[in-house]
Amino acid sequence: EVQLVQSGAEVKKPGESLRISCKGSGYSFTSYWISWVRQMPGKGLEWMGRIDPSDSYTNYSPSFQGHVTISADKSISTAYLQWSSLKASDTAMYYCARSPPGIQLNHYWGQGTLVTVSS
Amino acid sequence: EIVLTQSPGTLSLSPGERATLSCRASQSVSSSYLAWYQQKPGQAPRLLIYGASSRATGIPDRFSGSGSGTDFTLTISRLEPEDFAVYYCQQYGSSPNTFGQGTRLEIK
């Protein structure tokens, strides 16, 4: 069974750094891309970027380029989303999702990680 | 970037009725790379339809998708109580892939 299991909820202060994770199981982790999708409170879905775990090639939405970093460790089948300096506006639910290489179609989703940034 | 506009914003219907949701793109969607997702409160989105009209694994046949170019439709033939949720369209033919703002399907 394909599963994407995300790390738990986080509460951080503005200016702090954070890395959240997404662990894949039940499939070959390097055969599919992992994307990250943001959902702000009460709002819709926004694609942030994706990584090819086989070579760690990344592609970002212009809206998120430079604000977050996506990485992966294929030895432990885990992808990451990272911030160096959080803002209150980063408060949101973050989902990872799996797609076939070359097609940004998200068949499988993680359960989501809620990030709250508040002073 | 392709902008997707969904209508209506909210649709109020009763179980057993037919639901028709619209998704309009600001430019043609390449190869009909248009998907529909369902999201219930507190849950991750679930893929329903891809390639504009193909049902994902395990999706009941009361869900159907149609359209091409810039106009796409999700139809739920007979609403079940579990169908009341928010529905998003997504185009994945052009980078960056983009989502519509969602249609909330609520019980009348």
Side-chain angles (χ1 to χ4, degrees), chain B:
Chain B
E1 172 173 319
I2 295 179
V3 177
L4 299 179
T5 302
Q6 293 185 239
S7 61
T10 301
L11 185 57
S12 299
L13 294 170
S14 300
E17 291 192 294
R18 180 184 185 91
T20 303
L21 287 67
S22 174
C23 177
R24 178 161 291 178
S26 60
Q27 53 189 282
S28 185
V29 175
S30 174
S31 303
S32 292
Y33 281 170
L34 192 286
W36 291 91
Y37 298 85
Q38 176 193 67
Q39 187 178 33
K40 297 180 180 179
Q43 296 185 17
R46 177 174 72 144
L47 178 65
L48 298 176
I49 300 287
Y50 64 94
S53 60
S54 297
R55 274 188 300 277
T57 303
I59 301 304
D61 60 8
R62 64 180 181 272
F63 291 91
S64 63
S66 63
S68 64
T70 60
D71 288 293
F72 299 87
T73 300
L74 174 70
T75 300
I76 311 172
S77 58
R78 290 173 61 87
L79 285 165
E80 298 286 343
E82 62 267 27
D83 298 336
F84 293 91
V86 179
Y87 292 84
Y88 295 95
C89 58
Q90 178 212 14
Q91 69 79 22
Y92 54 98
S94 300
S95 187
N97 71 94
T98 48
F99 292 90
Q101 83 280 16
T103 289
R104 179 178 304 277
L105 178 55
E106 63 176 26
I107 299 177
K108 188 173 182 179

Side-chain angles (χ1 to χ4, degrees), chain A residues 35 37 39 43-47 59-63 95 103-107 109-112, chain B residues 1 33 35 37 39 42-47 49-50 56 88 90 92 95-97 99-101:
Chain A
S35 287
V37 175
Q39 187 167 40
K43 302 298 184 182
L45 305 170
E46 302 172 272
W47 179 75
N59 178 224
Y60 294 90
S61 166
S63 300
Y95 294 100
I103 304 176
Q104 203 63 60
L105 175 64
N106 305 304
H107 284 267
W109 294 69
Q111 83 277 18
Chain B
E1 172 173 319
Y33 281 170
Y37 298 85
Q39 187 178 33
Q43 296 185 17
R46 177 174 72 144
L47 178 65
I49 300 287
Y50 64 94
Y88 295 95
Q90 178 212 14
Y92 54 98
S95 187
N97 71 94
F99 292 90
Q101 83 280 16

